[in-house]
Amino acid sequence: MRNFTAKNLIVPADAAVPESPKSFATAPDNSVLLALSGGVDSAVTALRLQRAGYAVQALYMQLWTEPAAAEQSRAELERAQSLAEKLDLPFIALDLKEYFKSWVIKKFLAAYAEGQTPNPCIYCNLSLKFRLPELAVLAGAKPCRYFATGHYARVEFSPETGLYKLKTAKDPKKDQSYMLYHLQQADLARLLLPLGDLTKEEVRAEAESYGLAAAKAKESQDICFVADKNHHDFLRRCNCGSKPGNFVTPSGRVLGPHQGLAHYTVGQQKRLGIALGEKMCVAEIRAEDNCIVLVPAKDFKQESALVSELSFIAPEAIPVGSEIELCVRYRGRKVPARIDLPPGANASHLEPGAQALLTNPDGFPPISPGQAAVFYRGDEVLGGGIWTAAQY
């Protein structure tokens, strides 16, 4: 008997972000909800889950995009549904457009308006993708015991500690563990990541061996909701961060005009649109007076920075004042750092608004407020947070 069916469900626009993952203990032991995009990664994830004996429920996320990208969105939905039909998977198209606008687009625009450089994929993972099991049930879907994605990362259980660990992928070029730093023990307990031990080449080869069209699909590295893939133009259309202001020195001397805060990021040295006789670097973006601070590139060095919105996967793994490895931004290189919490605080019991201080006397790669700071020890992700400020 065929399993393929197609449903359309809607998450209400005013739905709140589920606070924590639920344990759907009454769901069948082999049931898994799969985030299916129609691309090669989610296709091979589906294949591997089927081969392992799971009953897979495919779910496609319908997200808000600019009107000019509507045709592309329809094509992606059709591709995902065709893949589900080929693999004989029950299929749900979950309409999250208004929810996505509320919890991702608005935060993205607000961050740029505050002079930050946000990563919308982090917002999406936090409030949407890794709450899909709860959001799907809210919209009327049946619950599943597990949740699966095509992310390149690994989850391991430690019998010694009784805790789950999040680890980097086998393929360092595709590792996405940085994007998952916010996951908690309850998330990891239900999460299946079948691609963590594969390279991208192996994934494509596996898809091709099954005759899947997704095997040759191009990868998307762009912001999914921007029509022309130019986020500066998108911000301009939204009238966000596009008000001209001044470049200034740290002492306040005006150097010349800038095009708008959203066109720059901390650490930027090229395409500044101003010539000052030496290479300059963006050291600070100040929303309060719409100014951008420039310093000579040779003098730019960040030795300490603050991280807020802290999240730890296994808090006891990070004693106060410990040495860790730090990834400043997605696909960035890891650098050593010392992590310190406020006096009397520890990673297991953080007060609301608590911040961590990260230091390295040799300096960090350029830190941009709004990006994620992710803490590692070897191949294990310890946690992370959002950069709020850096000293230069």
Side-chain angles (χ1 to χ4, degrees):
M1 185 176 71
R2 294 270 296 168
N3 293 313
F4 174 76
T5 57
K7 292 182 181 179
N8 293 288
L9 300 176
I10 300 175
V11 171
D14 59 353
V17 177
E19 290 185 5
S20 59
K22 291 182 179 178
S23 175
F24 295 114
T26 58
D29 287 344
N30 69 333
S31 60
V32 56
L33 181 71
L34 167 65
L36 186 78
S37 68
V40 66
D41 294 331
S42 60
V44 173
T45 297
L47 283 170
R48 291 192 151 232
L49 290 170
Q50 283 184 313
R51 289 208 304 264
Y54 288 100
V56 181
Q57 167 70 70
L59 184 146
Y60 177 81
M61 300 184 298
Q62 289 184 284
L63 306 178
W64 180 88
T65 63
E66 291 191 280
E71 186 59 38
Q72 179 182 337
S73 295
R74 280 193 292 272
E76 290 174 353
L77 171 59
E78 291 171 2
R79 187 162 59 246
Q81 184 166 330
S82 295
L83 175 62
E85 187 169 11
K86 181 178 177 64
L87 298 178
D88 195 24
L89 303 176
F91 179 80
I92 294 173
L94 188 63
D95 187 337
L96 290 149
K97 291 190 281 289
E98 294 304 315
Y99 181 90
F100 185 72
K101 283 170 67 175
S102 296
W103 295 102
V104 178
I105 305 291
K106 286 183 179 178
K107 286 192 70 174
F108 177 77
L109 294 175
Y112 265 111
E114 293 170 4
Q116 298 181 355
T117 305
N119 186 328
C121 296
I122 296 289
Y123 299 154
C124 186
N125 283 343
L126 275 166
S127 58
L128 193 156
K129 185 169 287 185
F130 285 89
R131 290 296 173 264
L132 278 178
E134 288 73 32
L135 293 171
V137 169
L138 176 65
K142 292 182 179 179
C144 292
R145 181 65 63 90
Y146 297 102
F147 177 55
T149 76
H151 282 93
Y152 286 80
R154 296 173 296 151
V155 176
E156 293 182 3
F157 179 73
S158 171
E160 293 79 14
T161 64
L163 297 173
Y164 290 88
K165 295 181 178 182
L166 175 64
K167 294 194 167 186
T168 57
K170 170 186 174 181
D171 187 349
K173 299 191 299 295
K174 296 302 300 178
D175 176 54
Q176 294 173 303
S177 61
Y178 172 96
M179 293 292 189
L180 311 183
Y181 76 86
H182 55 83
L183 298 180
Q184 300 296 294
Q185 287 294 310
D187 294 297
L188 298 177
R190 71 179 185 185
L191 182 60
L192 303 176
L193 300 175
L195 306 189
D197 289 314
L198 299 177
T199 65
K200 186 70 177 193
E201 292 73 22
E202 290 170 334
V203 168
R204 287 198 182 279
E206 196 164 316
E208 194 162 5
S209 71
Y210 276 82
L212 300 181
K216 299 186 184 301
K218 291 182 179 180
E219 287 191 87
S220 174
Q221 302 290 344
D222 302 301
I223 297 175
C224 66
F225 53 84
V226 177
D228 54 11
K229 308 309 178 187
N230 186 322
H231 75 282
H232 287 138
D233 288 346
F234 172 74
L235 293 167
R236 194 177 291 112
R237 288 191 289 273
C238 295
N239 194 29
C240 176
S242 56
K243 180 182 176 181
N246 287 318
F247 288 118
V248 298
T249 65
S251 64
R253 180 169 62 88
V254 174
L255 298 172
H258 69 65
Q259 300 176 36
L261 300 182
H263 293 275
Y264 308 91
T265 188
V266 172
Q268 182 176 334
Q269 299 180 18
K270 298 179 179 179
R271 296 185 298 277
L272 296 178
I274 187 171
L276 297 171
E278 63 177 321
K279 183 176 286 188
M280 303 296 284
C281 178
V282 175
E284 185 181 0
I285 298 176
R286 299 200 310 235
E288 62 270 20
D289 59 3
N290 197 34
C291 286
I292 294 176
V293 180
L294 297 182
V295 298
K298 61 181 174 56
D299 298 333
F300 182 66
K301 185 179 181 183
Q302 295 167 307
E303 298 179 10
S304 64
L306 292 173
V307 178
S308 64
E309 300 179 43
L310 294 166
S311 177
F312 296 102
I313 294 173
E316 61 279 359
I318 305 184
V320 175
S322 64
E323 299 292 327
I324 60 167
E325 292 176 280
L326 172 68
C327 194
V328 166
R329 61 177 64 211
Y330 186 47
R331 297 278 165 83
R333 61 185 176 88
K334 295 176 188 173
V335 295
R338 175 188 168 96
I339 181 170
D340 286 289
L341 298 172
N346 62 66
S348 299
H349 300 92
L350 292 170
E351 294 294 325
Q355 295 183 317
L357 175 66
L358 279 296
T359 54
N360 181 336
D362 295 324
F364 295 115
I367 289 171
S368 298
Q371 292 283 303
V374 180
F375 316 142
Y376 289 84
R377 181 169 291 129
D379 64 353
E380 182 182 358
V381 181
L382 303 176
I386 302 297
W387 293 113
T388 55
Q391 297 296 317
Y392 59 92

